[in-house]
Amino acid sequence: MSAETTATTQAPTTTAPPGGEPRVPPGGALAAAGRLPQQNQLRRNLQRFLIGNKLNLVGVIIVVMFFILSIFGQAIAPYDPYAQDITGSKLLPPSTAHLMGTDELGRDVFSRVLTGTQISLQVAVVVLSFAVTFGTLVGSVSGYFGGIVDELLMRFTDMFLAFPALILAIAIAASLGRELKWTMVALSTVFWPWYARLVRAQILSIRERDFVTAGESIGLSGPRLLFRHILPNVISVVIIQLTLDIGYAILATSSLSFIGLGAQPPSPEWGTMMSTARNYFREAWWYISFPGIALTLTVFAFNVLGDGLQDALDPRSSHR
Amino acid sequence: MLVRLIVRRLLFLVVVLFGLSVITFSLSHVIPGDPARLMAGPRASASAVQKIREQFGLNDPLPQQYITYVGEVLHFNFGMSFTTRRPVAQDLQRFLPATIELGLYAFVISTLIGIPLGVLSAVKRDQWPDHIARFVSISGLALPVFWLAIMAQFIFFGRLGWLPDGERLPIGVDPPRTITSLYTIDALLTGNFSLFWLALKHLAMPALVLAYGSLAVVTRMVRGGMLEVLNQDYIRTARAKGITQRGVVLGHALKNALLPTVTSIGLQIGLLLSGAFLVEIVFSWPGIGRYAVDAIQRLDYNATMATTLLIALIFVLLNLLVDILYLFLDPRISYT
């Protein structure tokens, strides 16, 4: 909203009619000129990324499995994840009937871990959609317009970064209430400032490039330049961060659930499961182990993938 | 210039604390849930609840309640904890040393292991030390610290019986005379070596588990810094002069490679503080992390808010220290 108004004052000479399609070709060509060499390099890098590095391949496989399981997990699950059987199957060790054993209420741990995948993905999607959208908006407005707008928005952003993220999330979630939805709100609050910073820094460097100057000189409006020509160049960096953050968002959710915020029993959220399983770890190692392994593998895979993507997409990175 | 940096950062700290207190205060007072009812207990009569409400000014409009609260906080009065029924300030004083001791050991462990591991990993790039280091740095960030804690407990206490499963000392053992409130140091200072050994054994598992995450950060930073430095011209010159590998790495490269690592200390502090929340619960470690989680679970707002504010304060102040330290270490940097 403020983008729109500030933009028109900055470029009042824009005469393009609403939906003025004739003006697209020069702008499109400019954007393409800005992106093309990068895209060729990107393809080469991606090939090297998947075939050259075995760890990346493992990461990709686990991530793909994670997505498949979060969609079909509940359908594949051999048992109802909530169905209790306290008569005969409490805390049974892993067997062919119960691959990961059963819990204190006789529920099948395997089915619950599978169902938990879905919850984790849901949280990550909700939290990061908000974080990326809001953070990108703040960051791009801040970076593109500069001046007092930038100063105000960045000081506001810094306030959220001046604090260990997990503890801020705990404080917010604790104040709001012990429900998964409040955890999502808390985590969104924690994640967006990183995107604002990231996008702002990118935009500051991109807006000095020739194609932006060219766009300005042919009278493209501010928002149009920003959203159609500058932002597409920021996407790769945002994707790298996003990949890493999916893992961290899932980890943070489970951590919050573990201390009693976030998802509540009988939810099969991994952190919630482990919070209960902790009381039985001496007699039932499987109960705490499998949700933990699932969580670790998931975070690990997104980390590896994010790291690998960074190497592949960002030529300046010194990770390898 | 240094003074300006400090003043600016302290002003910013005030803004951060103000913002944070507004957020937690308004959130915790807007949502349903009656603190007076909680304080009085579920079986209290309506008039008793009303009395508490008046006593604590809970009938005042919210902004006024907030101003009263801030006024009290400025005098280090955080109100009473519903859980421990003691003043929160007193509780914090009591539980903070345990967290400091735990965090300090974890920090030392991660630095002492992380720096050599990072150097080794960079020097032996793509050989097995590097693979170990990369495994550590990726798994350190992926492993849920609370799960690692429970697993360590299961193995080293449950199966092997090598280490105690929690607390700072066994029940019935008196802590050493209070000098620093850090049990290991106090025990050494008073010359009680068996008590020192006991306290150290209790510290070992929580500190190692807590260290693992920040160990990952240190290793990664040192490795990255080292790789970058080793590619620079002056290193090639040093090699051309015939200096041994060992001399090049330790004498020429390490110092410059470590500089950027100093900036990661801030990140480490954040990891250690948030990790402490989770590790302390698992190991029944009587620090402020466990205190905060207890408070959260029992809707003890005074204690929750006080702990969050305290942790914010510690975090921002330590980060300021790190920045000042960096300024001294690297004369090329200037914060303007």
Side-chain angles (χ1 to χ4, degrees):
Chain A
M1 9 77 226
S2 69
E4 216 76 42
T5 51
T6 342
T8 38
T9 51
Q10 226 191 26
T13 47
T14 311
T15 48
E21 285 315 304
R23 281 188 181 273
V24 174
L30 280 171
R35 258 182 299 164
L36 205 62
Q38 216 178 337
Q39 269 182 346
N40 279 334
Q41 197 183 3
L42 192 146
R43 196 170 301 132
R44 265 203 313 276
N45 280 333
L46 274 180
Q47 277 170 356
R48 201 182 60 199
F49 167 74
L50 278 181
I51 299 156
N53 189 321
K54 283 184 206 108
L55 198 60
N56 288 343
L57 196 65
V58 172
V60 171
I61 291 172
I62 299 177
V63 164
V64 168
M65 254 176 64
F66 173 78
F67 278 111
I68 292 176
L69 287 181
S70 58
I71 297 167
F72 301 108
Q74 207 160 2
I76 304 171
Y79 298 88
D80 176 354
Y82 297 97
Q84 303 182 3
D85 177 9
I86 42 175
T87 47
S89 41
K90 272 201 289 186
L91 295 176
L92 292 179
S95 62
T96 43
H98 297 283
L99 283 177
M100 296 182 183
T102 63
D103 67 8
E104 85 284 6
L105 297 172
R107 294 170 297 196
D108 182 48
V109 174
F110 180 55
S111 306
R112 288 176 67 74
V113 168
L114 281 182
T115 316
T117 316
Q118 195 182 0
I119 301 175
S120 297
L121 183 68
Q122 266 171 7
V123 176
V125 166
V126 171
V127 167
L128 294 171
S129 314
F130 173 83
V132 169
T133 315
F134 190 66
T136 305
L137 196 71
V138 170
S140 47
V141 168
S142 193
Y144 185 76
F145 296 109
I148 184 81
V149 181
D150 181 34
E151 187 66 24
L152 282 176
L153 285 177
M154 278 305 112
R155 288 298 81 77
F156 178 67
T157 310
D158 282 346
M159 254 184 59
F160 289 87
L161 291 174
F163 211 70
L166 187 68
I167 297 180
L168 181 59
I170 288 176
I172 297 175
S175 324
L176 286 171
R178 287 182 265 178
E179 273 177 72
L180 192 58
K181 64 177 177 197
W182 298 128
T183 300
M184 293 191 211
V185 173
L187 290 179
S188 308
T189 320
V190 167
F191 275 102
W192 76 263
W194 299 94
Y195 290 92
R197 276 258 162 227
L198 187 72
V199 169
R200 173 179 175 272
Q202 288 291 313
I203 288 199
L204 281 182
S205 78
I206 291 171
R207 64 162 301 161
E208 300 303 322
R209 301 236 305 253
D210 288 344
F211 77 94
V212 177
T213 323
E216 273 167 354
S217 68
I218 59 165
L220 290 180
S221 72
R224 184 183 193 113
L225 247 180
L226 179 56
F227 290 108
R228 296 220 31 191
H229 303 299
I230 298 179
L231 269 186
N233 289 289
V234 178
I235 286 176
S236 69
V237 186
V238 170
I239 288 177
I240 294 169
Q241 186 65 35
L242 183 67
T243 314
L244 287 167
D245 280 348
I246 295 177
Y248 293 135
I250 293 173
L251 184 58
T253 313
S254 289
S255 304
L256 258 64
S257 298
F258 180 75
I259 61 171
L261 300 161
Q264 301 295 322
S267 165
E269 200 281 323
W270 294 335
T272 313
M273 283 179 76
M274 285 187 266
S275 177
T276 318
R278 184 158 88 85
N279 305 318
Y280 303 94
F281 81 89
R282 253 159 263 184
E283 63 255 50
W285 58 267
W286 55 90
Y287 186 9
I288 180 107
S289 302
F290 289 114
I293 292 170
L295 177 57
T296 309
L297 276 182
T298 309
V299 183
F300 170 81
F302 280 107
N303 267 354
V304 168
L305 198 59
D307 257 13
L309 280 177
Q310 185 154 41
D311 287 344
L313 296 177
D314 182 1
R316 283 158 308 170
S317 103
S318 57
H319 272 268
R320 274 199 58 84
Chain B
M1 187 190 67
L2 183 64
V3 176
R4 250 185 53 200
L5 164 79
I6 295 174
V7 169
R8 222 182 53 186
R9 295 287 291 272
L10 288 180
L11 282 178
F12 182 60
L13 172 67
V14 173
V15 177
V16 168
L17 290 180
F18 171 73
L20 186 75
S21 64
V22 170
I23 294 175
T24 47
F25 185 86
S26 45
L27 287 180
S28 61
H29 284 73
V30 166
I31 53 140
D34 183 353
R37 166 59 66 191
L38 280 165
M39 236 183 291
R43 275 188 291 276
S45 67
S47 67
V49 173
Q50 187 57 33
K51 214 168 135 193
I52 287 181
R53 203 168 280 151
E54 271 160 30
Q55 193 189 336
F56 288 89
L58 293 171
N59 285 330
D60 298 342
L62 267 189
Q64 199 184 333
Q65 281 192 42
Y66 177 73
I67 291 167
T68 319
Y69 178 78
V70 171
E72 292 292 316
V73 165
L74 288 178
H75 293 93
F76 292 104
N77 182 5
F78 297 98
M80 296 288 285
S81 156
F82 314 151
T83 327
T84 60
R85 305 208 167 268
R86 276 190 302 261
V88 172
Q90 211 177 315
D91 280 344
L92 291 180
Q93 221 175 357
R94 192 171 137 147
F95 294 122
L96 189 59
T99 303
I100 293 179
E101 187 168 35
L102 178 61
L104 222 55
Y105 273 84
F107 182 79
V108 170
I109 293 171
S110 61
T111 311
L112 285 187
I113 303 180
I115 292 178
L117 193 58
V119 171
L120 204 64
S121 155
V123 175
K124 307 261 172 199
R125 190 176 167 180
D126 288 332
Q127 296 167 43
W128 65 264
D130 191 25
H131 295 316
I132 294 179
R134 299 197 78 199
F135 175 79
V136 167
S137 65
I138 293 181
S139 66
L141 292 176
L143 275 171
V145 63
F146 58 91
W147 187 68
L148 187 65
I150 298 170
M151 285 298 160
Q153 213 175 31
F154 175 63
I155 295 169
F156 294 105
F157 169 74
R159 284 290 146 99
L160 301 171
W162 290 353
L163 293 166
D165 69 335
E167 300 281 347
R168 291 177 85 182
L169 284 174
I171 298 163
V173 174
D174 286 332
R177 191 160 54 84
T178 305
I179 302 169
T180 59
S181 295
L182 310 180
Y183 285 1
T184 48
I185 293 176
D186 285 355
L188 277 184
L189 289 176
T190 52
N192 191 340
F193 293 107
S194 62
L195 193 62
F196 168 76
W197 179 240
L198 210 54
L200 199 64
K201 261 167 72 176
H202 278 76
L203 249 175
M205 215 170 10
L208 281 169
V209 168
L210 186 56
Y212 200 63
S214 66
L215 171 64
V217 176
V218 180
T219 309
R220 178 184 281 240
M221 289 294 287
V222 173
R223 179 179 184 272
M226 204 70 189
L227 282 179
E228 216 166 301
V229 170
L230 284 178
N231 276 328
Q232 281 176 13
D233 290 343
Y234 81 97
I235 294 293
R236 206 172 21 173
T237 312
R239 288 217 164 106
K241 270 173 31 185
I243 299 176
T244 57
Q245 167 79 349
R246 193 188 160 85
V248 168
V249 170
L250 298 180
H252 291 72
L254 186 60
K255 202 181 154 209
N256 282 321
L258 282 186
L259 269 180
T261 315
V262 175
T263 52
S264 80
I265 295 178
L267 185 59
Q268 271 194 72
I269 296 166
L271 273 175
L272 290 176
L273 280 173
S274 10
F277 267 65
L278 300 159
V279 170
E280 285 182 4
I281 309 172
V282 176
F283 290 109
S284 314
W285 192 258
I288 48 167
R290 195 181 68 157
Y291 178 65
V293 173
D294 272 352
I296 288 166
Q297 291 178 342
R298 293 179 198 171
L299 301 175
D300 187 345
Y301 292 129
N302 284 341
T304 309
M305 283 181 62
T307 337
T308 349
L309 288 177
L310 179 70
I311 288 172
L313 187 74
I314 295 176
F315 184 69
V316 179
L317 283 181
L318 285 179
N319 269 295
L320 177 62
L321 268 181
V322 170
D323 284 355
I324 294 172
L325 180 72
Y326 196 56
L327 205 64
F328 280 113
L329 288 179
D330 191 347
R332 287 168 301 185
I333 300 286
S334 69
Y335 296 102
T336 39

